[in-house]
Amino acid sequence: MAAAPEERLDVLNAAGEKTGVSKPRSEVHRDGDYHRAVHVWIYSESTGELLLQRRADCKDSWPGQWDISSAGHISAGDSSLFSAQRELEEELGIKLPVDAFELIFVFLQECVINNGTYTNNEYNDVYLVTTLSPIPLEAFTLQESEVSAVKYMRCEEYKSCLAKESGEYVPYDVNGKYGQLFNIIEERYKDNTESRSLTLQKQINRYAPIHLEPDLTNLSEGDREALGYILKAAIVIDDIFHEQVWDSNRMLRDWLKGHSESSSLDKLKWAYYSINKSPWSCLDENRAFLSTADSAVKLLTDATKPVSRWKGVEYRAAFPLDKPPGANFYPSDMDKMEFELWKSRLTSKEQKDATGFFTVIKRHDSLSALSSTQSDELDQAKTSDDLFIVPYSKEYRSSLEKAAELLEKASVCSDSPSLKNLLRTKANAFLSNDYYESDITWMELDSNLDVTIGPYETYEDGLFSYKATFEAFIGIRDNIATSQVKLFGDQLQDLESNLPMDNVFKSDNVSAAPIRVINLLYNSGDVKGPQTIAFNLPNDERIVNERGTSMVMLKNISEAKFKHILKPIADACIRDEQKDYVDFEPYYTHIVCHECCHGIGPHSITLPSGKKSTVRLELQECHSALEEAKADIVGLWALNFLIKKGLLPKNLSQSMYVSFLAGCFRSIRFGLEEAHGKGQALQFNWLYDKGAFVLHSDGKFSVDFTRVEDAVESLSRKILTIQAKGDKAAAWSLLQSRATLTQPLRVALEKIEHMQVPVDIAPKFGTANKLLGKV
C-alpha cells in the first residue's frame, strides 16, 4: 500500500501573511520557513484546570512531554478554525462546533531543536475552549500516534512548572507573550463583581437617556396601521444586524437578556450590551467589556464517546476579545491577502459580487465539521480556492422572508402612494437581493411617515468597507423644516463645479439632492453606540452617478445632542469671547451641508491606468473615515461658498467655525476606531497645525478667523484629490499621521471628562414601544 503523501504547509512571510507557496512539512522545518499552526486549550471553569496531553514518544519534537490540550499544523489550503476542530477531533476524539473556539492571541514561536535539524518558525493561533466542568478522562479517544495520555492540571500549578522549566513539560515562556494564556484566565475569573459593576455603570452613564415621543397626529389611519407592521419588520432587521456583527451574537444577546434579572451586575451587562449591540464597547476603541465567561452555555450530548451518567460537554459559546475587523461578513480567520489571492482568480462578474454590498464570504470547510476519515479524503483534492460567495437573500433568508411579509402587509395598509411603493419594492429586494429599484423608490418617498430600511452603511466591515449592514429608521416628517433646507440640495451642481480640486476630476452631472427632515420615532439594526443625526443614501455608486443621493435629517436627535452635549462641551473648552458663537443654527446647518457633501466629489473614478473603479473599492478600509472627513471639511468650505454667494446669512461666517470646533471634541470622543471619530481627529489636527485652531494657556480653544478659511480649503483639496486618484497609500499616510490623539485633543478631552459631559445619547422609544405593546 502506497505511503500517504507528506502534509504540505502554506509558507508565510515574516509578517505571517500567505505567500501563495506551499511546501512539504519536512522541508518547511528544514528551511526554517514561517508557517502557521493551532493551539487549542480546554479549560474547566468549575475546577480552574487546563487539560494537558502527553505527546507520543514517536513525535519528532518534544516526545513524551506534557503539552497543550491539542495542537497541530494548519495544512495548505486549510483554515485556522477548521484545523482547530480537526486536531481536537483527531487527537482527542472531541467534536465541537466553531462557536466553542475563542481565539485569544497569536503567538510567534521561533526556535531550533534536535541539534539544529528542526527549525520552528511558527505562528500559532491560540484558542481557548471553556467548559463548565472537566470532561471525564474516559470520554476521550486518544490518537496513539500523537497522544499517549491526558490529564487536568490547575492553572497555577501548570504555570509554576513552566516557570521552573520542568523537563516534563514542553517549554513556554510564561513571562513572555505566552503568559497571556494565564493572565486572561486569571483576570476573567477573579472575584471582581463590585469593580465590574462600577465600571459598567460609568460606561453606561456616558450616554444621556433621551425619550422620543414624536407627534403622530398627522398620520392617516392607513399609515398608522402600516406603522405597526413596519415596526415589527424593524425588529427583524435588528436580528439580522446582530448576526452580521458576530455569528453567535444573537445567542449572546438572548442569554444576557434572559439572565438580566439574576443580579445587579447582570442587569448592567444587559444594559450596556443593549447600547453596543455586541460585547465590544464603541466608545473604548471596541475593547471587550464582556468575556466568554459571561456568555451562553450550550450542551452537546454527542461531542465525545458516551460515558455513563454524564450528560455531555457543556461549554460557553465563545467570542474573541478583539472585535473581528471583518465582522461576520468573512471567515474570522481570513486575512486580506488570502481574500485578494482568491479574488484574483475569479471572473470579473464574480469579483464584482465578492466586493459587492450585499454578499458574505464563506468557507467550504465551515459548512460542516468533518470526521477524521472525511478530512483525510478531502486533503487529497483540496485547493486554496476555499472561499465562496453567498448573497444576503440566502444568508439571512428566514429573517428576510419574515421582514418582507411584514412590509407587504404594511404596503397594503398604507394610503400614501410613495410609501406603498417603497414598502413593496423593499420587500421584493429582500428576497431578490437586488436593491436598485427599492433605493430609487426610497429617494422618491414623499410621505408623512418616513421609512428607511435595508442594508446601507459599510462601517462594520473593517477589512474592506465593502459589506452593508441592515438598519431601520422610522420617523415623522417635519414639513416646515424640510422646506427650509431645500436650498442646500438645489446648490449641489454649483458646489461640485467650484470644489477645490482639479477640474478634470469634477462632474457636470450632479443631481439636486432631496432633503427630508424627520423626528425619529424608532431605529434598529446598525444604530449601536453613538447615534447618527443624519444620513445620506444610497451608497450604490450606480444610483449616485445617475440620480445623486437623498438626505434624511433627524431633527429631534440633533436638538438633543446640542442641548445635552455640545453646549456643555463649549462651556468646558471654548474661550469666553467665542463661546456665544456656539449655537444650534450653525451646528444644524453644517450637519445639513455635511450630508449634502457626501453627494459631491469623487465617487466613480478613472485610475491612472485607465481602469474604471470607485473610491470605495480603491481606498478599502480607509474609505469610511476619509469620506466622513471629506463631508465635514468640504461642508465647511461649502457653507463659506454659499455665504459669499449671499445665499446664507453672513452671521454664520464665524459661528459655523466655532461650532465646528466644539463639534470636533464631541465626535472624537466616539473613539479613533470609529469612522467619524477618526475623520474628526484628522480634521482637528490639520486645522490646529495650520494655526486655525488655537490652544491658550488656560486650556481653552478659539478659532483664528484669519487662518481658518485657507486651512479648510487646503484639507478639502487634499482629501478630494486622494479620493479622485483612488490613492490608498496617500489615504493611509494621511490617516496615520493626522488621525491621532494629540496633546491638544487630550487637554480638551480631560476637561470634558472632568465635567462629566455625556458622550452621546441613548434614545428611549416610548411611543414606538407603546405601539408594539411593550412596557
Side-chain angles (χ1 to χ4, degrees):
M1 186 163 125
E6 185 178 2
E7 179 184 26
R8 297 183 71 87
L9 306 180
D10 286 316
V11 176
L12 311 178
N13 61 25
E17 300 168 322
K18 289 183 179 180
T19 62
V21 174
S22 69
K23 292 168 63 173
R25 178 178 178 272
S26 61
E27 294 181 17
V28 165
H29 286 290
R30 179 198 69 194
D31 300 337
D33 294 315
Y34 286 91
H35 58 285
R36 193 171 290 276
V38 292
H39 290 184
V40 182
W41 291 96
I42 296 179
Y43 175 76
S44 165
E45 279 190 335
S46 63
T47 60
E49 295 175 318
L50 287 167
L51 179 75
L52 305 183
Q53 65 157 268
R54 186 177 181 276
R55 296 171 66 85
D57 292 332
C58 61
K59 295 289 289 180
D60 55 5
S61 59
W62 297 286
Q65 292 180 295
W66 290 98
D67 198 6
I68 304 156
S69 308
S70 177
H73 290 101
I74 300 177
S75 300
D78 278 352
S79 71
S80 176
L81 262 175
F82 176 77
S83 300
Q85 288 178 286
R86 182 194 62 210
E87 291 298 328
L88 203 57
E89 184 176 359
E90 288 180 352
E91 294 184 355
L92 303 182
I94 305 175
K95 190 174 182 178
L96 294 177
V98 293
D99 68 356
F101 296 82
E102 176 187 358
L103 179 65
I104 51 176
F105 60 91
V106 177
F107 170 68
L108 174 58
Q109 186 175 34
E110 296 173 298
C111 64
V112 180
I113 59 173
N114 297 353
N115 298 317
T117 62
Y118 189 100
T119 302
N120 198 44
N121 291 327
E122 190 170 81
Y123 279 91
N124 297 288
D125 294 340
V126 182
Y127 291 94
L128 186 65
V129 172
T130 302
T131 63
L132 263 60
S133 56
I135 299 170
L137 298 185
E138 57 268 34
F140 296 107
T141 302
L142 305 185
Q143 184 181 21
E144 294 181 0
S145 62
E146 298 284 336
V147 184
S148 60
V150 292
K151 68 176 182 181
Y152 275 99
M153 191 173 186
R154 294 279 299 175
C155 277
E156 57 269 26
E157 182 184 356
Y158 176 48
K159 182 180 179 181
S160 176
C161 290
L162 292 177
K164 294 175 182 177
E165 299 182 2
S166 169
E168 292 184 60
Y169 300 89
V170 174
Y172 295 100
D173 182 5
V174 295
N175 296 315
K177 190 165 184 180
Y178 215 89
Q180 290 179 87
L181 169 68
F182 302 98
N183 296 338
I184 289 169
I185 292 173
E186 180 183 354
E187 179 65 26
R188 188 169 288 183
Y189 290 98
K190 69 182 182 183
D191 184 12
N192 60 350
T193 299
E194 183 177 353
S195 173
R196 286 193 70 189
S197 296
L198 288 172
T199 298
L200 282 169
Q201 187 63 67
K202 188 176 180 180
Q203 290 174 311
I204 292 167
N205 289 345
R206 292 180 295 182
Y207 291 88
I210 302 296
H211 295 273
L212 300 181
E213 297 186 349
D215 185 4
L216 306 184
T217 54
N218 287 337
L219 292 187
S220 66
E221 185 176 340
D223 284 354
R224 279 175 177 266
E225 189 176 355
L227 176 57
Y229 291 113
I230 296 168
L231 289 170
K232 290 177 181 177
I235 293 173
V236 179
I237 292 301
D238 205 54
D239 287 342
I240 298 175
F241 173 68
H242 277 84
E243 188 177 340
Q244 290 183 302
V245 173
W246 179 246
D247 63 358
S248 60
N249 196 33
R250 283 177 67 178
M251 185 192 311
L252 175 62
R253 177 196 66 183
D254 295 343
W255 173 269
L256 292 172
K257 184 177 181 180
H259 289 75
S260 61
E261 299 300 323
S262 300
S263 70
S264 58
L265 175 58
D266 288 317
K267 188 172 185 177
L268 291 170
K269 289 178 190 176
W270 169 239
Y272 199 51
Y273 175 91
S274 298
I275 290 172
N276 292 280
K277 300 196 175 188
S278 82
W280 301 288
S281 175
C282 299
L283 294 180
D284 299 296
E285 312 292 336
N286 287 322
R287 287 197 299 273
F289 61 92
L290 300 174
S291 75
T292 295
D294 301 304
S295 191
V297 175
K298 296 180 70 175
L299 170 65
L300 289 178
T301 58
D302 57 354
T304 68
K305 64 185 179 183
V307 174
S308 178
R309 293 189 296 278
W310 180 61
K311 59 184 178 181
V313 177
E314 288 184 286
Y315 72 93
R316 296 275 186 186
F319 56 86
L321 288 173
D322 295 327
K323 187 176 186 294
N328 201 24
F329 301 121
Y330 312 92
S332 60
D333 52 3
M334 184 203 81
D335 59 32
K336 295 186 71 170
M337 184 169 289
E338 180 186 1
F339 179 87
E340 296 293 355
L341 286 171
W342 167 71
K343 189 184 76 169
S344 69
R345 293 187 286 267
L346 300 178
T347 66
S348 58
K349 167 66 167 61
E350 290 169 333
Q351 287 187 8
K352 188 175 180 181
D353 289 341
T355 59
F357 289 110
F358 313 126
T359 61
V360 296
I361 309 302
K362 296 281 197 178
R363 286 196 189 281
H364 287 291
D365 66 19
S366 69
L367 296 180
S368 61
L370 303 178
S371 68
S372 302
T373 304
Q374 288 173 313
S375 64
D376 287 342
E377 292 171 353
L378 184 60
D379 281 344
Q380 307 303 314
K382 197 164 197 47
T383 72
S384 59
D385 289 336
D386 187 34
L387 305 175
F388 66 101
I389 304 163
V390 181
Y392 281 5
S393 54
K394 290 185 178 179
E395 178 70 3
Y396 313 118
R397 175 178 291 166
S398 61
S399 294
L400 288 174
E401 286 176 347
K402 189 186 302 182
E405 182 181 354
L406 289 164
L407 293 187
E408 287 282 9
K409 290 180 178 178
S411 178
V412 171
C413 297
S414 174
D415 42 28
S416 166
S418 65
L419 180 59
K420 288 174 79 73
N421 199 25
L422 169 65
L423 298 171
R424 178 186 58 79
T425 57
K426 192 64 72 174
N428 292 339
F430 285 168
L431 304 180
S432 69
N433 216 51
D434 183 353
Y435 286 86
Y436 183 88
E437 183 184 3
S438 69
D439 281 344
I440 296 295
T441 59
W442 176 82
M443 294 180 72
E444 296 172 345
L445 181 63
D446 184 15
S447 167
N448 285 331
L449 178 58
D450 199 279
V451 178
T452 301
I453 188 167
Y456 286 107
E457 304 292 4
T458 61
Y459 303 123
E460 198 70 18
D461 180 359
L463 279 181
F464 298 106
S465 290
Y466 290 159
K467 307 304 176 186
T469 48
F470 280 83
E471 62 187 22
F473 291 87
I474 303 163
I476 307 302
R477 177 81 67 91
D478 184 328
N479 290 310
I480 295 175
T482 296
S483 65
Q484 291 172 340
V485 298
K486 185 176 182 297
L487 157 75
F488 296 94
D490 292 343
Q491 294 296 315
L492 288 192
Q493 182 60 67
D494 197 21
L495 290 171
E496 172 78 19
S497 300
N498 288 278
L499 282 174
M501 66 175 178
D502 291 349
N503 289 333
V504 68
F505 299 133
K506 296 176 183 177
S507 171
D508 57 4
N509 189 31
V510 175
S511 302
I515 305 175
R516 311 196 295 262
V517 180
I518 69 171
N519 286 304
L520 185 66
L521 172 70
Y522 189 77
N523 66 18
S524 68
D526 190 2
V527 292
K528 61 177 187 173
Q531 297 294 295
T532 189
I533 48 184
F535 48 87
N536 183 299
L537 298 172
N539 289 321
D540 186 331
E541 290 90 355
R542 298 173 301 169
I543 299 175
V544 173
N545 291 333
E546 296 168 10
R547 303 280 298 264
T549 58
S550 287
M551 284 157 272
V552 175
M553 317 297 300
L554 311 182
K555 189 176 182 184
N556 53 350
I557 299 296
S558 296
E559 290 170 340
K561 291 201 182 197
F562 183 82
K563 175 182 176 182
H564 293 277
I565 301 167
L566 199 68
K567 281 297 284 182
I569 285 176
D571 290 339
C573 297
I574 305 300
R575 295 207 93 184
D576 289 345
E577 62 267 24
Q578 292 191 357
K579 195 180 298 182
D580 288 343
Y581 283 129
V582 180
D583 190 61
F584 181 73
E585 182 184 358
Y587 163 74
Y588 186 67
T589 304
H590 179 254
I591 293 171
V592 176
C593 220
H594 168 107
E595 295 305 325
C596 285
C597 289
H598 277 305
I600 60 176
H603 291 280
S604 295
I605 59 176
T606 302
L607 301 178
S609 64
K611 175 187 172 185
K612 301 290 186 182
S613 188
T614 67
V615 177
R616 179 179 65 90
L617 288 177
E618 295 306 317
L619 299 192
Q620 297 183 343
E621 74 275 17
C622 299
H623 169 66
S624 293
L626 208 65
E627 175 61 24
E628 290 304 324
K630 179 208 85 172
D632 254 351
I633 202 71
V634 175
L636 273 183
W637 169 87
L639 286 177
N640 191 50
F641 178 83
L642 294 174
I643 290 169
K644 288 181 176 180
K645 284 192 67 176
L647 296 174
L648 290 176
K650 287 185 177 180
N651 61 10
L652 278 178
S653 61
Q654 293 183 323
S655 61
M656 68 181 186
Y657 292 124
V658 184
S659 296
F660 177 80
L661 171 58
C664 285
F665 304 134
R666 180 184 72 85
S667 297
I668 289 166
R669 297 175 80 204
F670 298 161
L672 299 191
E673 290 298 311
E674 194 268 348
H676 297 80
K678 185 180 291 186
Q680 199 75 73
L682 158 63
Q683 295 169 82
F684 174 88
N685 289 325
W686 181 283
L687 296 178
Y688 182 84
D689 290 344
K690 298 293 184 183
F693 292 163
V694 180
L695 172 60
H696 298 274
S697 57
D698 60 358
K700 294 196 174 186
F701 294 80
S702 67
V703 176
D704 185 334
F705 297 119
T706 67
R707 297 186 178 185
V708 68
E709 185 176 333
D710 288 342
V712 166
E713 183 165 330
S714 66
L715 181 55
S716 298
R717 181 180 299 278
K718 180 80 170 178
I719 294 175
L720 289 166
T721 303
I722 288 173
Q723 290 184 321
K725 294 180 177 180
D727 190 345
K728 184 181 176 182
W732 178 261
S733 175
L734 182 63
L735 289 168
Q736 286 292 101
S737 63
R738 301 282 186 168
T740 59
L741 195 59
T742 55
Q743 183 57 29
L745 284 174
R746 292 181 190 277
V747 170
L749 295 182
E750 286 171 8
K751 278 183 168 290
I752 296 166
E753 180 72 18
H754 179 72
M755 291 187 65
Q756 297 185 339
V757 179
V759 177
D760 209 72
I761 61 172
K764 308 295 180 184
F765 303 111
T767 299
N769 287 335
K770 289 174 188 174
L771 292 170
L772 288 166
K774 294 182 178 180
V775 178

